[in-house]
Amino acid sequence: MKKLLCMALALVMILSFAGCEKAKPAGDYAKSVDNALIVAEAGSAGEELATGNEYFKNAKFTAVDSMAKALMEVKAGTADVAIVDYVTSIGSIGEGTEFEDLVVVEGKDFNPEEYGVAFRKGSDITPEVNKIIAELMADGTMDKIGKEYKLDELLIKDPMHDDVEVSAESDLEYVKEKGELIIGITYFAPMNYEKDGELIGFETEFAKAVCEKLGVEAKFVEINWDTKEIELNSKTIDCIWNGMTITPERKENMSITVPYMNNKQVMVAKG
């Protein structure tokens, strides 16, 4: 009987050790992500990176519906690495956050990029918003909002931009007649997120400041990021204002404001 008991205990210990494989240190992913399971938001710059960059060719990839979900997968241990916007990592991971055991993989970041606000192709709102952005930069409003969310060092203070092509149909008149600008967003800190039942964030406050000067109300609507352009062109929303990376393809399909913030893609893993 004693022999059987010892054998049973030994078996339990073996199974326990087999199920407790030590997680790979975050720093190792700066050298290689071969065979690692990577997650990123569908339709995001992170997905483009994971599926198109040589560094990730030997990794496994799964798209999820938000950057927050990507972080949750890594926290739960169902993914090894999340690719997210650098701004998402600020204040969203580490001590005092929901993801306190997650860290940015140091020494390996990708794709320096810029954020802009997207309106419909040919929209005459775009040049108006460009003027307002310049005013908010000049009077210190952008700095104030940026400091509140620890993003002030990423602001682009004097952006260069191309002339905006405007179509005959007035988007600005359409929005002013409605009295509201319907803003397509997804929820992720520190850009647009809820705290104590209230929508807050850098983009939330930025959009409200612009809408105040436009003389309309800011109305925020959650969208599927992967179908954002369809939502915009069908007039379900009037703009995409949610940490949207400016790309040549998007500039072809939409009217995009001056860039207002720098960003990059980073890997996040368990520390």
Side-chain angles (χ1 to χ4, degrees):
M1 183 71 179
K2 187 181 288 186
K3 185 176 180 180
L4 287 173
L5 181 60
C6 288
M7 288 174 65
L9 288 171
L11 181 60
V12 169
M13 289 178 68
I14 290 169
L15 291 173
S16 297
F17 283 120
C20 294
E21 185 179 347
K22 190 176 180 181
K24 190 174 180 179
D28 284 4
Y29 294 116
K31 304 167 189 172
S32 170
V33 290
D34 288 1
N35 300 314
L37 178 56
I38 311 294
V39 287
E41 181 181 29
S44 70
E47 181 180 32
E48 292 177 16
L49 179 66
T51 56
N53 189 286
E54 185 76 6
Y55 189 74
F56 298 94
K57 70 177 182 178
N58 294 321
K60 293 165 282 187
F61 174 71
T62 299
V64 293
D65 58 15
S66 68
M67 280 189 269
K69 181 68 181 297
L71 295 176
M72 288 172 64
E73 294 283 352
V74 176
K75 177 182 177 179
T78 49
D80 299 308
V81 174
I83 302 176
V84 299
D85 288 7
Y86 174 63
V87 299
T88 302
S89 71
I90 299 174
S92 294
I93 65 174
E95 188 176 351
T97 71
E98 180 185 354
F99 305 105
E100 60 183 3
D101 59 338
L102 304 188
V103 298
V104 170
V105 175
E106 298 292 342
K108 196 73 178 179
D109 48 56
F110 304 85
N111 300 2
E113 58 196 42
E114 298 173 331
Y115 284 164
V117 184
F119 294 93
R120 283 178 278 276
K121 188 71 175 177
S123 175
D124 57 350
I125 302 180
T126 310
E128 289 298 313
V129 172
N130 281 342
K131 291 176 188 175
I132 294 173
I133 290 174
E135 291 171 9
L136 296 176
M137 288 288 187
D139 68 14
T141 300
M142 292 291 278
D143 266 327
K144 182 180 177 182
I145 299 172
K147 284 176 182 175
E148 184 176 352
Y149 295 98
K150 302 177 182 178
L151 300 173
D152 50 305
E153 293 185 3
L154 300 178
L155 292 174
I156 301 173
K157 301 297 179 66
D158 189 20
M160 300 292 292
H161 63 93
D162 303 323
D163 292 334
V164 178
E165 294 183 12
V166 175
S167 64
E169 184 180 356
S170 177
D171 230 10
L172 183 59
E173 185 178 342
Y174 164 71
V175 166
K176 288 198 170 185
E177 283 180 358
K178 290 191 303 174
E180 62 183 16
L181 182 71
I182 303 176
I183 301 165
I185 66 167
T186 60
Y187 288 85
F188 73 99
M191 307 310 268
N192 295 291
Y193 63 104
E194 286 190 347
K195 184 176 181 181
D196 300 326
E198 180 185 0
L199 183 65
I200 62 171
F202 175 86
E203 299 284 43
T204 309
E205 294 193 33
F206 176 26
K208 285 181 177 179
V210 169
C211 284
E212 184 178 352
K213 285 183 175 286
L214 280 174
V216 297
E217 180 184 351
K219 181 178 179 181
F220 299 93
V221 174
E222 186 177 12
I223 60 172
N224 182 328
W225 193 249
D226 207 22
T227 58
K228 54 190 174 294
E229 291 184 37
I230 296 172
E231 300 258 20
L232 183 63
N233 291 325
S234 65
K235 290 194 172 182
T236 305
I237 57 175
D238 297 315
C239 64
I240 303 163
W241 203 325
N242 191 224
M244 193 199 75
T245 302
I246 300 172
T247 66
E249 182 181 1
R250 287 174 178 166
K251 289 174 77 173
E252 282 291 318
N253 298 326
M254 300 180 283
S255 179
I256 302 178
T257 65
V258 293
Y260 57 87
M261 184 174 287
N262 289 307
N263 184 47
K264 58 187 175 182
Q265 297 299 303
V266 295
M267 296 188 291
V268 171
K270 283 192 175 182

